[in-house]
Amino acid sequence: MSWLTQTLTSSIGKKVLMSLTGLFLCLFLVVHLIGNLQLFKDDGGYAFNTYAVTMTTFTPVKIISYLNYFFILFHAFWGIYLEVRNRKARNVKYNLIRNQSTWSSRNMALLGTILLVYIVVHMGDFWYKFHNEPLPYVQYTEMLSTGEVFSQVMPAGYTQDVKQVEFVNSDEGTRTVIVKDLYQTVSVAFQNFLLSFFYLLGMVAVGFHLYHGFQSAFQTLGINHPKYSPFIKAVGIWVFAFIIPAAFAAMPLYFYFKQF
Amino acid sequence: MNLTLKVWRQKNSQSEGYFETHQLTGISPDMSFLEMFDVLNEKLVEENKEPVAFDHDCREGICGMCSMYINGRPHGPLEGVTTCQLHMRSFSDGDTIVVEPWRATAFPVIKDLVVERSSFDRIIAAGGFVSVNTGNAQDANNIPIPKDDADDAFAAAACIGCGACVAACKNASAMLFVSAKVSQLALLPQGQAERTIRAEKMVAQMDEEGFGSCTNTGACSAECPKEISLENIARLNREYLGAKLSSKSV
């Protein structure tokens, strides 16, 4: 075994792989949230739909997204493997346990499994449909002078070869964009109570997972310092366990209550 | 005090264990937990029964021999206290107390409440030492050591190797123990000669013994009778990763 595989397969190395992939996924969550906040823009989905095209066509973003899918799968299955291994380290269970640790920290594998199921459903709902299903198209006309945007749903059966058709009419001073209406797909999907509720549960799981996970990742990398650790813990709890899941959870809630 | 004691009985490492219930009457609240077991054992001997085997030695909280998992917690309900320093006044009259041995694959039960902890000895033998020149002793204070480092090394050296960290950890991980033993030497000038090889070898031995890996739950430090800090585990991670990156052993 080379020194590198020896390092990465040691108990500490295995954890470092969990830590690094986990931190990457935390970073992804921030970017994903910033992009998705465009769902709250009252522009008929113009910003969100064109953003969706950029994210699925711009090559560097595509490379990072496939890396991201790989890290999600790696983090999930490596985590399950570690959990199985760790359980073997106690072959006879205790009769009575009063553990002095947080519930999150003891249930990372359970929370992670919930999140894996959530991610599969989530990607099936939107990612798969966006890539593989004939979603309706929408045409946006932007007045270049005022910045006003008018949207118009394309007739049923309309399709185009590229993800985004764009042309500028300099006589009329307008820019026209035709894209798949993912915004509409999202808003219709979240009108379903069960799906919205499932998404809320998913976000609760993210919150609890990161309540322990974020700060734990730094500890695994050996970062524990009286100056920085309180800051890392605060960011883990407030930003990653509370604000980010709450902001994501606001999306299904927004569309669910908008229908009434 | 009158107590109901549910205690783990197991003839040897091969046999199946079971819980045995004993009623104890007239226990003094000033007795230590181990003295309460002495009373139980005297009673068992008088009844011509096998006394409960348990580990103990100094009974003053410094040897690390006593090891009882009391009511779901290693060394019982108090913080920073070993089983021998736990007194019956920490319990109430009429309580039921459940006593189990440490549970870890790397700590097999030998008999009743006694577990085999030589896996810790093998980890120490793998690298938990310093090379010292023979000859005259050096002048005291000849090597300057920053006060902070001396304090941290001393706090780590307080580890008595009882194994409560392993017993408390949901993964039966020995990271707190190993990290304390690596830290106490890595922080001092005397420990520099074997610094990288120590971290590498002690972790390798720890993995070989079948302990689980650390998931940073912090249960170990919360239960440690010597209150060893989690900072040591972060330091061990740094020492190990640094050693792997810098050492010349390929």
Side-chain angles (χ1 to χ4, degrees):
Chain A
M1 241 188 328
S2 84
W3 70 272
L4 190 62
T5 44
Q6 209 179 57
T7 307
L8 294 179
T9 53
S10 70
S11 59
I12 293 176
K14 284 178 182 138
K15 286 284 300 167
V16 167
L17 293 177
M18 284 304 277
S19 157
L20 293 176
T21 49
L23 285 177
F24 182 89
L25 297 180
C26 284
L27 192 67
F28 156 72
L29 220 51
V30 175
V31 177
H32 191 42
L33 176 66
I34 293 170
N36 283 14
L37 283 177
Q38 295 175 96
L39 282 169
F40 293 124
K41 263 188 142 181
D42 196 19
D43 61 355
Y46 178 53
F48 182 75
N49 282 336
T50 47
Y51 163 75
V53 172
T54 312
M55 294 307 273
T56 49
T57 49
F58 187 49
T59 312
V61 174
K62 272 178 90 174
I63 293 170
I64 294 171
S65 67
Y66 278 96
L67 209 59
N68 191 43
Y69 306 147
F70 171 73
F71 284 153
I72 290 172
L73 291 173
F74 181 86
H75 190 82
F77 288 104
W78 196 245
I80 291 168
Y81 159 69
L82 286 178
E83 176 72 9
V84 170
R85 240 183 124 264
N86 284 338
R87 286 189 184 198
K88 281 190 189 148
R90 175 162 292 133
N91 48 7
V92 183
K93 304 284 171 244
Y94 286 113
N95 186 259
L96 179 66
I97 298 175
R98 294 217 175 98
N99 205 303
Q100 306 295 302
S101 53
T102 59
W103 183 86
S104 297
S105 72
R106 278 175 278 134
N107 291 283
M108 291 300 277
L110 171 73
L111 291 164
T113 309
I114 294 172
L115 288 175
L116 183 62
V117 173
Y118 168 82
I119 291 167
V120 169
V121 172
H122 177 48
M123 288 188 74
D125 282 341
F126 303 125
W127 183 87
Y128 181 81
K129 281 186 185 163
F130 186 74
H131 283 85
N132 300 298
E133 285 186 10
L135 296 185
Y137 281 86
V138 60
Q139 173 181 302
Y140 296 104
T141 311
E142 185 184 353
M143 309 299 291
L144 290 173
S145 51
T146 60
E148 269 183 293
V149 178
F150 302 97
S151 64
Q152 190 190 350
V153 179
M154 296 300 284
Y158 170 84
T159 187
Q160 62 193 26
D161 293 338
V162 288
K163 284 192 168 157
Q164 179 167 328
V165 170
E166 187 177 346
F167 49 89
V168 177
N169 187 330
S170 49
D171 296 341
E172 293 177 13
T174 58
R175 192 167 72 103
T176 305
V177 174
I178 306 174
V179 285
K180 271 186 178 176
D181 200 356
L182 186 63
Y183 178 84
Q184 182 63 16
T185 312
V186 172
S187 57
V188 170
F190 286 147
Q191 286 171 9
N192 181 317
F193 174 77
L194 278 181
L195 190 80
S196 290
F197 188 70
F198 175 75
Y199 271 66
L200 281 187
L201 287 185
M203 289 309 102
V204 170
V206 168
F208 278 105
H209 196 72
L210 296 185
Y211 180 82
H212 175 69
F214 185 76
Q215 53 103 0
S216 174
F218 288 90
Q219 168 83 1
T220 297
L221 295 176
I223 300 165
N224 185 330
H225 191 278
K227 269 184 197 158
Y228 313 113
S229 292
F231 175 70
I232 290 168
K233 278 186 185 150
V235 169
I237 292 169
W238 290 106
V239 179
F240 283 94
F242 186 69
I243 296 174
I244 290 181
F248 273 119
M251 291 161 197
L253 287 176
Y254 171 71
F255 288 109
Y256 181 72
F257 287 108
K258 208 177 157 189
Q259 66 181 313
F260 300 114
Chain B
M1 290 173 80
N2 297 330
L3 298 165
T4 306
L5 203 61
K6 262 183 81 182
V7 58
W8 184 260
R9 301 305 302 265
Q10 186 171 336
K11 205 167 176 204
N12 54 48
S13 54
Q14 270 77 47
S15 61
E16 287 270 308
Y18 58 95
F19 278 102
E20 199 172 78
T21 307
H22 293 282
Q23 303 295 334
L24 289 176
T25 51
I27 296 292
S28 159
D30 296 328
M31 278 180 187
S32 77
F33 201 79
L34 296 186
E35 283 165 341
M36 184 268 292
F37 261 83
D38 293 339
V39 171
L40 168 69
N41 278 347
E42 278 174 21
K43 186 175 153 234
L44 288 174
V45 170
E46 277 171 16
E47 292 168 1
N48 259 334
K49 289 178 186 158
E50 182 80 10
V52 181
F54 62 91
D55 263 331
H56 62 105
D57 190 8
C58 75
R59 296 208 180 194
E60 51 190 18
I62 53 168
C63 76
M65 273 311 281
C66 55
S67 54
M68 289 186 189
Y69 197 84
I70 303 158
N71 281 346
R73 295 181 64 181
H75 295 301
L78 298 187
E79 308 223 324
V81 161
T82 54
T83 300
C84 62
Q85 296 291 292
L86 172 69
H87 290 82
M88 298 317 292
R89 54 180 166 269
S90 298
F91 298 88
S92 311
D93 189 36
D95 273 2
T96 298
I97 305 174
V98 182
V99 186
E100 298 174 72
W102 286 174
R103 299 279 189 208
T105 310
F107 285 167
V109 172
I110 299 172
K111 187 176 182 179
D112 298 338
L113 301 173
V114 180
V115 296
E116 169 80 65
R117 281 172 285 182
S118 50
S119 45
F120 270 15
D121 299 337
R122 288 189 290 274
I123 293 173
I124 294 292
F129 50 81
V130 290
S131 299
V132 179
N133 289 332
T134 54
N136 287 339
Q138 228 173 4
D139 279 353
N141 299 325
N142 203 19
I143 309 169
I145 299 169
K147 176 81 167 88
D148 283 346
D149 290 357
D151 287 348
D152 287 348
F154 187 83
C159 169
I160 52 176
C162 65
C165 44
V166 176
C169 177
K170 82 178 202 23
N171 309 324
S173 166
M175 282 288 277
L176 194 68
F177 166 76
V178 177
S179 72
K181 298 302 174 193
V182 165
S183 289
Q184 65 179 4
L185 301 176
L187 285 161
L188 297 177
Q190 293 88 340
Q192 299 311 304
E194 296 98 347
R195 186 171 173 179
T196 51
I197 203 144
R198 177 184 306 118
E200 288 186 296
K201 289 205 163 171
M202 288 179 81
V203 169
Q205 189 63 37
M206 170 181 82
D207 289 351
E208 199 168 298
E209 298 291 348
F211 292 103
S213 54
C214 175
T215 50
N216 304 324
T217 69
C220 53
S221 185
E223 296 292 10
C224 174
K226 298 298 155 186
E227 301 179 317
I228 302 293
S229 159
L230 287 180
E231 278 176 39
N232 291 300
I233 294 185
R235 185 179 297 106
L236 172 60
N237 292 337
R238 289 199 296 278
E239 289 290 320
Y240 179 76
L241 295 171
K244 280 292 179 193
L245 287 172
S246 66
S247 82
K248 284 185 179 170
S249 57
V250 181

